[in-house]
Amino acid sequence: MELKRRHLLLGASALTLASLSSHAWATKADDNLSFLVLGDWGDEAVEADQTAVADAMAKVAEQQAVTFIISTGDNFYEAGVSNIKDPKWTSTFEAIYKAPALQLPWYAVLGNHDHKGNVDAELEYGSVDPRWNMPSTYYTMSKSVGSKTADFFFLDTEVLIQNGMITEWFGWAKADQLKWLEQKLAASTADWKIVAGHHPLFSGGAHGDNKELIRILKPLFVRYGVNAYLCGHDHDLEALSDNGVSYFVSGGGSKGRPVKHHAKSLFSRSEPGFLLMELSANGSNATFYGRDAKPLYSEKLAS
C-alpha cells in the first residue's frame, strides 16, 4: 500500500505548484528564467566544502535573479533521512542554505543514497519547510518565460537503472515510470523540455556511462526534443552533448572526485560547484560555477 500511495501523490504535484503562488517567492512571468542545479550535497563529512558552495550559490542567485533550485539527488548521506524530524534536515539543509537569496523553491529528485533511507520522509518534508518540493518520486512542473514555456520532468533513476534480475516491484515501477515519461513528453508543447534525474547517461566521472539509461532514455529524449538532461551521481561538473541534447552533470554540491575526458565532453572539472541555467527568448545559457562563485564554463543551450 505504501508504494501505491507514493504514486498516487503524482496528482498532488499540480496542487503543490499552485500553492506556491501564495508564497513571497512566487514570481510573475518574465522574459527570463534563471535557476540553479545542485547535486550530491548533503554530506556532513565535508561541511566546509558544502558551505563554500552554498555561499557561492547565494552570490550567484542574487546577481542573476534566480527563482528556484533543482537538486539532482543524493540529498542526504550516507543513507538518506529516517523521518521528517531527522537532524540532517537542519544540519545539512536548513543550516547550510540559509542565505536570503536561497529561500526559494527547491525541486528535488531521489538519489541512490536517498533510497537507503525513508523515501516518504523526503516526499513529506514540504509540510515542514515549504521550500522543499518533492510531491512524488517522479513528477512534472511548468514555468513561463515571457510568452514561452518550459516543462520540467523529474525522474527517479534509481528505479530506472535496474536491469537483468530485478524484483517484481522494480520491474513494474520501471515500466510504469517510463510509460508516464513518454506520455508527458509526447503531450508537452513547451519551448523547452528539461529532464532531471540522479544518474548520468554519459559521464567521464567515476561511475561512467550508464548503458541502461542510454538504452531507455536517449531514444525518448531525441524523439520528443528534450533540450537538456540534468543529473549528479558523479561528484564533478561536466557538460556533454549527444544528438542535439545537452547533458549536464552537476554533482559537486559537497566534494569533487576525479573525472576523465569523455568522447562527448565539452567541459569537465573535478571540484565542488553548481550550474546556473538561464532561459530566455533571446538565447539560453548554462554556466558552471566553482565554490568561489567564479564562472568555470558557459555554453548556449540546445534548442
Side-chain angles (χ1 to χ4, degrees), residues 64-217:
Q64 303 298 333
V66 165
T67 56
F68 64 93
I69 298 166
I70 290 178
S71 172
T72 59
D74 276 3
N75 308 311
F76 301 98
Y77 289 92
E78 288 287 326
V81 289
S82 58
N83 53 57
I84 60 174
K85 295 182 179 181
D86 192 307
K88 291 179 185 178
W89 286 107
T90 299
S91 62
T92 64
F93 179 56
E94 294 175 359
I96 301 294
Y97 307 102
K98 60 186 179 181
L102 300 181
Q103 304 309 301
L104 305 168
W106 286 58
Y107 297 95
V109 300
L110 296 167
N112 53 298
H113 284 273
D114 300 305
H115 267 280
K116 295 178 181 180
N118 185 343
V119 168
D120 282 342
E122 294 201 37
L123 299 181
E124 297 165 2
Y125 193 70
S127 65
V128 178
D129 187 338
R131 281 191 297 172
W132 187 261
N133 291 270
M134 191 189 293
S136 185
T137 55
Y138 52 92
Y139 59 100
T140 64
M141 73 160 181
S142 297
K143 295 288 185 179
S144 296
V145 189
S147 61
K148 296 189 175 184
T149 56
D151 283 349
F152 295 81
F153 309 82
F154 298 87
L155 306 180
D156 182 0
T157 56
E158 180 66 11
V159 171
L160 296 181
I161 63 172
Q162 304 301 322
N163 195 12
M165 298 297 293
I166 58 178
T167 67
E168 182 179 354
W169 178 81
F170 267 118
W172 166 79
K174 178 176 181 176
D176 190 59
Q177 187 176 172
L178 284 174
K179 180 180 179 181
W180 169 89
L181 177 61
E182 181 159 20
Q183 289 176 341
K184 292 297 184 180
L185 287 174
S188 174
T189 59
D191 299 278
W192 292 275
K193 298 179 184 181
I194 297 174
V195 181
H198 180 62
H199 298 81
L201 275 72
F202 306 104
S203 172
H207 296 99
D209 293 355
N210 189 291
K211 294 181 180 180
E212 183 63 7
L213 291 186
I214 293 172
R215 184 183 73 84
I216 63 177
L217 292 183

Side-chain angles (χ1 to χ4, degrees), residues 2 27 50-51 53 86 88-89 102 109 145 223 230 268:
E2 179 184 354
T27 58
Q50 188 188 0
T51 300
V53 173
D86 192 307
K88 291 179 185 178
W89 286 107
L102 300 181
V109 300
V145 189
R223 183 180 309 146
L230 315 175
S268 64

Side-chain angles (χ1 to χ4, degrees), residues 273-300:
F274 58 95
L275 178 69
L276 166 71
M277 296 196 71
E278 302 167 281
L279 307 184
S280 168
N282 298 320
S284 302
N285 296 286
T287 305
F288 278 109
Y289 285 83
R291 57 185 166 188
D292 57 1
K294 294 181 180 179
L296 301 173
Y297 168 83
S298 185
E299 71 172 66
K300 292 190 177 298

